[in-house]
Amino acid sequence: MSSLQAQRLSRDDPTAVADLQSVFNGAPAFSLLVEGKLPEPDAAEQALEALPPDIDYPDKFVFGYYLDQQIAGCADVIRGYPEKHCAFIGLLLFAENWQRQGLGKQALQHIDHLARGWGCQEIRLGVVANNQPGLVFWTAQGFVEQSRRELPGYPADLILMSRGL
């Protein structure tokens, strides 16, 4: 198998938007589990446009992860959120036919490397509580639960997790 290649995706590139949408379409079980519905037809555009408070696009990084020039997964990473010393993973997702092959670990290594380069000391993320496969993955990668909060519009609470770099 070839090595995983990361490519930053732009909301202004129709090919990148189509590639990202193919990841969402290829992971319907994730959408059903955490949102209670199939992926929206504009899920990629929503992912590329969404920003947390007080963050602008230069600090938002959406990556496509490719194997042999075929997109397999994606990540949404925010630099300096929610605090300057943090990187926040908003999403790490692989299409179902690429899951359970170690690609998530490889993508996380890429994110760790980036975050260190940004001067971050910690990575944070949120996992919807009913996403058992996600909780197992993140816990195995050394992330620990920090808190829980209600997430309006989602079927379960959001578990906030973190890990030092």
Side-chain angles (χ1 to χ4, degrees):
M1 180 184 290
S2 301
S3 65
L4 196 63
Q5 300 295 315
Q7 178 180 324
R8 189 171 182 187
L9 304 179
S10 168
R11 63 186 201 268
D12 300 321
D13 178 355
T15 301
V17 174
D19 281 356
L20 184 57
Q21 186 67 42
S22 74
V23 174
F24 288 111
N25 292 344
F30 172 79
S31 293
L32 286 168
L33 184 64
V34 302
E35 297 178 342
K37 60 184 179 181
L38 290 171
E40 297 286 341
D42 65 344
E45 287 140 353
Q46 290 178 41
L48 288 162
E49 294 288 330
L51 288 172
D54 302 319
I55 295 293
D56 207 350
Y57 290 111
D59 291 317
K60 179 182 178 74
F61 297 79
V62 177
F63 293 99
Y65 290 105
Y66 293 80
L67 283 169
D68 297 325
Q69 300 180 341
Q70 179 183 359
I71 195 160
C74 64
D76 182 358
V77 184
I78 306 293
R79 174 176 49 198
Y81 182 79
E83 298 174 49
K84 288 292 180 195
H85 72 278
C86 299
F88 191 89
I89 300 173
L91 179 69
L92 179 60
L93 180 65
F94 282 83
E96 290 169 12
N97 60 316
W98 293 106
Q99 293 176 7
R100 306 197 55 78
Q101 297 180 38
L103 300 177
K105 291 177 188 176
Q106 289 180 46
L108 184 56
Q109 289 172 349
H110 168 249
I111 295 166
D112 285 349
H113 179 76
L114 279 174
R116 284 187 191 100
W118 296 335
C120 295
Q121 300 166 1
E122 181 180 23
I123 294 183
R124 296 184 188 175
L125 55 88
V127 181
V128 178
N130 66 341
N131 180 1
Q132 192 61 35
L135 286 171
V136 168
F137 173 80
W138 293 115
T139 301
Q141 305 314 307
F143 286 81
V144 295
E145 181 175 336
Q146 300 300 317
S147 64
R148 290 180 184 235
R149 66 177 174 88
E150 187 176 327
L151 192 59
Y154 285 80
D157 288 347
L158 183 68
I159 301 172
L160 297 168
M161 303 180 83
S162 68
R163 182 189 76 187
L165 285 171

